């Protein structure tokens, strides 16, 4: 039998879908769930934050989440399922007898534990006082046989059905992200069926009819409210399709042959920017590959990922992808690829330089477009930039640059890249209190992502790029009657009421003036945010800043003396995004993507050790700009 390399489960129709290495699909229906997913022991997957991440289980090729919400392991065949069941029994229950193990293995909330124990002892013939770890291989086989019988692996054998078919898959997307809950109509002959996309934008598999007839795919026209045909599925070879819902287009996905046809060539690697809340399992499910394949393609051993990191998605992972960037922006072209350094505090911070090739180009996030000023000369943008797929596309650039520089101080960093010179803000050096470069770094990242950073025709437009306050206010054009330049809101940026991942955060004084700027990356407790920025302790690094003004308070210590309680903050944060990103930002506010993180762990990724005792990470001693 050809090797099955991945599997998914469709709880709405109770079908397990296996994908074979030669591109064919095997559909298993009927029988019982343990049989459909080759899991004789009904082994479930360990979850972290709602995501299945089995720590020691081996041999599985997918997960099956049932209507009840439980998630089970899917194995390629019965033998693999039995082997993991034996390993599980020895690993977790070796020091227990059957009577002691069953309440843990099959808890009362899901099973009749007492009956389970009686049946297992009776059918296996194992003495009640013998520990599972003391059983011989033959006795362990008997326990596995009995568990499989009790779990119903062999039940309803007359209803089992296995079908090798050509299957096509449809994914709903707006061009930048999946669209859950989207409806389409599948017409087979005179019969029509309405189906919805799941949380990842995927519709149930479309099985090609055995009589070679065509399956017509339709969507409802929002104006006429009539079903309109947007594509057709037919033939002996399955394919992947993207339903570009925003434009009502039907388009095949390039590189889908690896999974859905008999082509044996390797799928072309693609780059994926990790988003807040992602996990390797979620990404593998989205691209219908495996966690191990992603880890192999990116040369890593651990499962930990973090927002802004760029991963290569390269199919089965058997062959290492060919890293050949073409038109990468400067940050991406020079950046190191995702390394094996973990975003958790290691015993010794790694200072090893990466020697592998750089990742492929990072999506720029926008296409350049001319903009005009209004007749009033206020700089109001009349023609906005056309967005291109990608959430906060400047963030992977900022992360890649931070990883490349590894905490290097500004005195030597400016000899390799001078952000003032790069953005042409008029300053020539980064070193020194009068040459703060936090704003230059932010503008440089935006510029690499092809966002405009300078208001053409404005006075002092270059100086504004060197000032943190420049994201909020700039010197506007002066009318003939005015003696001084008026301050106007920077028309290139829009202020947000709440922070979102990737927002430009301006550290603002009590008087309302911007004194520092960086990118919002994560939360640090309930009151602080972690910013990724330049000129934070003269480095590109992660630092903690207060969301709101906090006044130090006097408290009485244990000796009865009054002292000032630390934790006060004389500044607060304002948040901005480029005006052309504003529509997406309004959607991001519903899911701001701000996970809890440790600033120490994040800086260790960059090779930056923890601050010395008593030193505050978010200090602005040299960051005022």
């Amino acid at each position: 039998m050809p090797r099955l390399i991945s599997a998914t489960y469709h709880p709405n129709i109770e079908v397990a879908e296996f994908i074979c290495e030669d591109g064919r699909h095997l559909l298993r229906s009927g029988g019982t769930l343990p049989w459909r997913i080759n899991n004789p022991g009904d082994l479930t997957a360990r979850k972290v934050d709602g995501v299945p991440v089995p720590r020691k289980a081996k041999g599985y090729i997918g997960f099956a989440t049932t209507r009840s919400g439980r998630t089970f392991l899917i194995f390629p065949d019965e033998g693999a399922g039995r082997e993991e069941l034996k390993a599980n029994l020895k690993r977790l229950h070796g020091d227990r007898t059957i009577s002691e193990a069953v309440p843990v293995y099959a808890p009362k909330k899901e099973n009749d534990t007492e009956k389970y124990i009686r049946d297992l002892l009776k059918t296996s013939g194992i003495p009640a006082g013998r520990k599972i770890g003391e059983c011989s291989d033959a006795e362990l086989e008997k326990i596995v046989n009995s568990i499989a019988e009790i779990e119903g692996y062999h039940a309803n054998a007359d209803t089992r059905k296995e079908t090798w078919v050509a299957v096509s898959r449809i994914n709903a997307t707006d061009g930048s992200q999946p669209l859950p809950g989207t409806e389409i109509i599948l017409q087979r002959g005179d019969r029509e069926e309405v189906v919805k996309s799941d949380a990842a934008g995927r519709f149930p598999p479309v099985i090609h009819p055995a009589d070679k007839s065509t399956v017509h795919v339709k969507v409802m026209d929002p104006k006429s409210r009539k079903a309109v045909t947007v594509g057709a599925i037919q033939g002996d070879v399955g394919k992947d399709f993207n339903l570009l819902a925003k434009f009502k287009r039907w388009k095949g996905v390039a590189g889908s042959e690896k999974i859905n046809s008999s082509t044996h060539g390797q799928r072309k690697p693609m780059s994926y920017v990790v988003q807040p809340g992602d996990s390797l399992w979620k990404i593998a499910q989205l691209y219908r590959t495996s966690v191990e394949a992603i880890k192999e393609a990116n040369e890593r051993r651990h499962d930990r990922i973090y927002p802004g990191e760029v991963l290569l998605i390269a199919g089965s992972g058997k062959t290492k992808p060919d890293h050949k960037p073409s038109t990468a922006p400067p940050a991406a072209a020079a950046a190191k690829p995702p390394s094996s350094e973990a975003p958790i505090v290691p015993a010794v911070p790694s200072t090893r330089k990466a020697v592998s090739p750089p990742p492929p180009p990072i999506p720029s996030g926008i296409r350049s477009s001319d903009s005009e000023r209004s007749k009033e000369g206020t700089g109001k943008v009349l023609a906005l930039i056309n967005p291109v797929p990608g959430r906060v596309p400047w963030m992977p650039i900022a992360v890649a640059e931070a990883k490349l520089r590894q905490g290097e101080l500004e005195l030597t960093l400016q000899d390799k890249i001078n952000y003032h010179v790069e953005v042409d803000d008029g300053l020539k050096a980064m070193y020194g209190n009068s040459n703060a470069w936090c704003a230059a770094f932010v503008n440089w990242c935006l510029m690499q992502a092809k966002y405009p950073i300078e208001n053409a025709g404005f006075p002092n437009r270059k100086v504004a790029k060197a000032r943190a306050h420049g994201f909020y206010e700039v010197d506007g054009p002066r009318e003939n009657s005015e003696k001084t330049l008026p301050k106007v809101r920077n028309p290139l940026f829009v202020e947000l009421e709440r922070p979102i991942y990737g927002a430009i955060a301006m550290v603002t004084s009590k008087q309302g003036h911007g004194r520092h700027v960086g990118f919002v990356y994560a939360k640090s407790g309930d009151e602080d945010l972690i910013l990724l920025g330049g000129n934070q302790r003269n480095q590109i690094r992660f630092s903690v800043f207060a969301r709101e003004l906090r006044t130090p308070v006097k408290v009485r210590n244990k000796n009865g003396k009054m002292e000032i309680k630390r934790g006060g903050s004389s500044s607060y944060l304002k948040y901005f995004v480029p005006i052309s990103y504003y529509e997406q930002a309004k959607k991001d506010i519903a899911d701001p993507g701000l996970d809890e993180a440790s600033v120490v762990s994040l800086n260790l990724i960059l090779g930056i050790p923890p601050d010395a005792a008593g030193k505050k990470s978010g200090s602005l001693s040299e960051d005022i700009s």
Side-chain angles (χ1 to χ4, degrees), residues 292-551:
E292 290 303 319
I294 297 177
K295 289 164 64 176
E296 182 176 349
N298 292 275
E299 300 179 354
R300 61 174 58 199
R301 297 179 181 178
H302 56 78
D303 292 350
R304 295 178 292 275
I305 57 177
Y306 55 94
E309 182 179 12
V310 180
L311 297 178
L312 288 179
I313 310 297
S316 65
K318 287 184 177 180
T319 306
K320 285 194 170 58
D322 185 16
H323 302 253
K324 290 185 179 180
S326 53
T327 57
K336 296 183 298 183
S339 69
S340 59
E341 297 172 14
I344 288 182
V345 183
V348 181
S350 172
T351 57
R352 178 178 57 85
K353 299 287 184 180
V355 296
S356 50
I362 298 171
S364 67
I366 65 163
R367 293 187 295 269
S368 298
S369 175
D370 294 332
S371 60
E372 304 174 21
R373 292 173 55 233
S374 66
K375 293 181 180 180
E376 291 78 11
T378 62
K380 181 180 179 181
V381 178
L382 301 180
L384 299 184
I385 296 171
N386 301 315
V388 165
R391 183 177 186 178
V392 283
W394 52 87
M395 285 305 287
I397 295 172
V399 170
E401 183 72 358
K403 289 184 67 179
L404 176 67
R405 303 308 171 187
Q406 290 194 320
E408 189 169 10
L409 296 177
E410 62 186 25
L411 182 60
T412 56
L413 177 60
Q414 68 179 0
D415 294 331
K416 300 173 183 177
I417 182 170
N418 187 322
Y419 301 108
H420 289 310
V421 174
E422 292 290 326
V423 302
D424 190 24
D425 62 15
L427 296 179
K428 301 303 180 184
M430 291 164 51
Y431 180 70
N433 291 341
S434 61
N435 298 318
W437 48 279
C438 59
F441 173 74
V442 169
N443 276 314
W444 180 83
C445 294
L446 295 173
M447 185 175 70
Q448 301 310 307
K450 302 290 191 285
Y451 281 84
I453 60 174
E454 184 175 321
N455 291 289
F458 275 37
N460 301 325
R461 63 185 186 278
K462 287 189 176 183
V463 175
K465 294 183 290 185
R467 297 288 178 257
H469 195 72
F471 292 92
Y472 180 62
E473 286 183 331
V474 294
D475 290 331
R478 180 172 53 193
E479 299 294 337
N480 294 333
S481 59
E482 295 176 315
K483 293 183 179 181
T484 60
L485 294 174
K487 289 290 184 182
V488 299
R489 291 290 298 274
N490 190 332
L492 296 179
F493 301 96
V494 177
E495 185 175 359
L496 304 178
E497 293 182 1
R498 297 191 297 276
I500 61 173
Y501 170 74
I504 302 162
M506 185 176 78
V507 182
T508 310
S509 67
K510 290 181 180 180
Q511 293 73 31
H513 189 79
R515 13 187 346 237
H516 178 68
V517 68
F519 295 115
V520 175
Y521 190 84
K523 295 187 296 185
S524 178
D526 295 330
E527 298 182 336
D528 298 329
L529 292 178
I530 297 175
L531 305 189
L532 172 60
N535 206 25
Q536 294 180 173
R537 296 212 172 276
N538 304 326
Q539 303 165 301
I540 303 171
R541 63 178 290 158
F542 295 97
S543 296
V544 176
F545 294 90
R547 296 194 196 202
E548 306 290 344
L549 287 169
R550 295 204 298 270
T551 304

Side-chain angles (χ1 to χ4, degrees), residues 4 14 21 45 59 61 82 99 115 130 146 165 205 256 261 266 274 301 386 461 545 551 557:
L4 302 174
E14 296 188 334
E21 61 185 349
I61 58 173
R82 289 176 64 90
S99 298
K115 184 177 185 303
R130 182 170 299 173
S146 298
V165 296
S256 62
S261 79
Q266 184 174 351
V274 176
R301 297 179 181 178
N386 301 315
R461 63 185 186 278
F545 294 90
T551 304
N557 63 22

